[in-house]
């Protein structure tokens, strides 16, 4: 079934963001693993899996709407240390959150409620799981200090 071209175009914008998030989390998780931060590795690898699932849902929806997915990710923001990595991941999640809100509004305007509902679920995951967890980690670092935080991340 042919979908709204505006929705299709915007789904490709969202797909680029999800692919970038997946790739950024992939690189960050590998860095955490290399540095021995097992807890961070496991959590960020989980986030990578979530972003992959989000991208897959968007791809499936694009295909159902008779569109071709644009598989070119947005630019990555790879951090050089743990704090920079957490901050760049949070910036990414906040950017995705804003893009999802715009997509939800567009879907309502175009009366594509199925796509809208899919984006609402992704928004909930982005806000309540991804962004909130990153904010908590940065708050923990300020509260207990970076060395204490990093020591806690060594063991799973």
């Amino acid at each position: 079934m042919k979908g709204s071209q505006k929705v299709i175009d915007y789904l490709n914008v969202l797909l680029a963001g999800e692919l970038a998030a997946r790739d950024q989390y992939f690189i960050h998780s590998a860095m955490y693993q290399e540095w021995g931060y097992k807890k961070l590795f496991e959590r960020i690898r989980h986030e990578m899996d979530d972003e992959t699932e989000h991208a897959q849902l968007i791809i499936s929806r694009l295909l159902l709407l008779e569109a071709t997915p644009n598989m070119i990710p947005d630019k990555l923001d790879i951090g050089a240390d743990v704090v920079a990595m957490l901050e760049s991941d949070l910036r990414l999640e906040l950017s995705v959150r804003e893009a999802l809100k715009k997509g939800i509004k567009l879907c309502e305007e175009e009366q594509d409620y199925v796509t809208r509902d899919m984006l609402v679920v992704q928004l909930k995951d982005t806000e309540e799981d991804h962004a909130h967890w990153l904010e908590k980690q940065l708050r923990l670092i300020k509260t207990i200090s970076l060395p204490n935080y990093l020591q806690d991340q060594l063991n799973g």
Side-chain angles (χ1 to χ4, degrees):
M1 103 183 161
K2 187 67 177 159
S4 157
Q5 191 60 49
K6 289 180 183 178
V7 170
I8 289 168
D9 292 344
Y10 202 77
L11 282 174
N12 272 311
V13 168
L14 292 174
L15 179 57
E18 296 296 340
L19 294 172
R22 177 204 62 191
D23 293 350
Q24 185 165 310
Y25 283 138
F26 177 67
I27 293 167
H28 282 171
S29 70
M31 292 167 73
Y32 290 137
Q33 184 177 40
E34 175 65 24
W35 297 339
Y37 298 127
K38 186 175 180 185
K39 284 184 179 180
L40 284 169
F41 162 74
E42 290 172 352
R43 177 58 191 227
I44 297 304
R45 182 54 64 109
H46 160 78
E47 299 297 338
M48 182 194 77
D49 292 341
D50 283 354
E51 301 302 344
T52 301
E53 182 180 321
H54 291 172
Q56 180 57 53
L57 289 169
I58 293 171
I59 290 167
S60 295
R61 188 68 185 159
L62 282 163
L63 294 172
L64 185 123
L65 297 175
E66 299 180 17
T68 301
N70 180 357
M71 299 295 292
I72 300 171
D74 286 341
K75 187 175 186 287
L76 304 183
D77 181 16
I78 305 303
D81 57 54
V82 171
V83 173
M85 292 159 70
L86 292 169
E87 289 173 343
S88 71
D89 290 346
L90 180 57
R91 281 191 302 275
L92 177 64
E93 291 296 340
L94 295 176
S95 173
V96 167
R97 180 182 70 180
E98 293 310 307
L100 286 167
K101 288 179 181 180
K102 289 179 185 176
I104 290 166
K105 182 179 180 207
L106 175 65
C107 288
E108 289 171 352
E109 291 167 359
E110 295 295 309
Q111 298 183 348
D112 182 344
Y113 300 107
V114 173
T115 303
R116 179 204 175 276
D117 290 347
M118 177 188 76
L119 298 181
V120 166
V121 170
Q122 290 186 9
L123 177 62
K124 185 177 188 312
D125 189 40
T126 297
E127 285 184 345
E128 294 180 7
D129 184 28
H130 302 191
H132 182 64
W133 183 84
L134 290 161
E135 289 169 337
K136 286 191 325 188
Q137 302 318 295
L138 291 166
R139 192 168 36 252
L140 269 173
I141 290 168
K142 287 180 182 174
T143 303
I144 66 172
S145 81
L146 181 60
N148 289 331
Y149 176 82
L150 293 177
Q151 182 177 5
D152 183 57
Q153 299 306 309
L154 292 172
N155 300 315

